[in-house]
């Protein structure tokens, strides 16, 4: 037993006591295996720092966006809501059978002049871009060349309301294209350029607008400029019905105002313009002429020549509250007229079917 134990001890000692060359070799192996681990740790540490930095940057970006959103909401809530002229005059307190959101409404038979529906139709209010119907009428009646090129200048930039436009200063379009964008998409710079380039200049053009209104018997109407951005452009629903009927006589105005959309080449870009009145695309509507309008002083406005239940009608809605309320009012009136016509027909049939 003693011998075995001694032999085991000797073997263990010999294993531990290595030769110098073997020790040196092992040290090299240790260094080789240790070096990659050191580099990897450094890489991991750097990667961790990058992740922390990116995470911190993302958090700062989100925090900044949140602060900006809160500040914007605070500014919007602090900004006073401008009442329309109709609201200030108390016109919205007037009740009507259909519960319209427009404080002014008028529906007239275009052929017989019969008033089918009315609400504050003689109230004189700002009419916003409904102005452009008269702008278009004056241009159309002047028989100016529609292919003449007109350049948008700094003078056409809105200083009244600060509204934006995709027609940059320097853009050159034909008079016909400007008419199209003005009537279909309510393009303010287009309408202003039409008045500015009228023979005799802007003052003569605005004077011609007012003269035309007087000649048509529009006693409640006055114009200060051709776009409708000024609240000094004012009229009544009764007068606007007269204007719509006259504008309907011009085929060009009918075509351009009811167009669904148009692509316009501006330099290297192609701009898509659409109609501001979505009802022109509805199969439930037969619209021969239309124009929308909005500024805060006027509320939402709409004038249309339509055919409902076999009758040609002029519809006018002024000072409507809510983005889509003028369209909702038009739908209510159309359905009411269709139901009324259906009921009248049933009554007529019952009367004619009675013997003797």
């Amino acid at each position: 037993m003693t011998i075995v134990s001694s032999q085991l001890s000797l073997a263990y000692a010999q294993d531990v006591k290595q030769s110098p060359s073997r020790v040196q070799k092992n040290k090299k192996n240790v260094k080789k295996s240790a070096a990659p681990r050191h580099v990897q740790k450094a890489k991991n540490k750097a990667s961790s720092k990058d992740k922390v930095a990116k995470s911190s940057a993302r958090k700062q970006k989100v925090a900044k966006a949140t602060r900006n959103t809160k500040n914007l909401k605070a500014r919007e809530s602090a900004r006073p809501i401008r009442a329309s002229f109709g609201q200030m005059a108390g016109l919205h307190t007037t009740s009507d059978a259909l519960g319209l959101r427009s404080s002014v409404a008028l529906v007239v038979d275009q052929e017989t002049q019969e008033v089918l529906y009315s609400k504050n139709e003689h109230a004189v209010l700002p009419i916003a871009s409904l102005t452009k119907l008269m702008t278009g009428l004056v241009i159309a009646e002047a028989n100016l060349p529609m292919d003449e090129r007109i350049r948008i200048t700094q003078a056409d930039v809105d200083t009244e309301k600060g509204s934006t436009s995709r027609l940059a200063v320097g853009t050159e379009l034909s008079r016909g294209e400007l008419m199209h964008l003005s009537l279909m998409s309510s393009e303010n710079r287009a309408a202003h350029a039409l008045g500015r380039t009228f023979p005799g200049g802007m003052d003569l053009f605005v004077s011609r607008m007012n003269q035309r209104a007087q000649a048509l018997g529009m006693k409640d109407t006055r114009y200060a400029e051709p776009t409708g951005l000024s609240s000094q452009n004012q009229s009544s629903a009764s007068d606007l019905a007269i204007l719509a009927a006259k504008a309907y006589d011009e085929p060009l105005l009918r075509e351009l105002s009811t167009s669904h959309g148009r692509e316009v080449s501006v330099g290297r870009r192609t701009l898509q313009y659409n109609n501001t009145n979505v009802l022109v695309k509805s199969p439930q509507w037969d619209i021969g002429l239309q124009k929308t309008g909005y500024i805060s002083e006027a509320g939402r406005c709409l004038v249309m020549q339509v055919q409902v239940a076999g009758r040609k009608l002029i519809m006018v809605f002024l000072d409507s509250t809510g983005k889509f309320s003028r369209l909702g009012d038009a739908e209510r009136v159309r359905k009411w007229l269709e139901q009324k016509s259906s009921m009248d027909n049933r009554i007529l049939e019952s009367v004619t079917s009675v013997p003797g």
Side-chain angles (χ1 to χ4, degrees), residues 26-41:
N26 287 342
K27 285 182 179 180
K28 288 181 180 179
N29 291 337
V30 169
K31 286 182 180 179
K32 286 181 181 179
S33 61
R37 285 197 298 270
H38 176 71
V39 173
Q40 188 62 38
K41 285 181 180 179

Side-chain angles (χ1 to χ4, degrees), residues 7 185 196 283 350:
Q7 289 176 343
S185 300
R196 175 178 55 80
S350 64

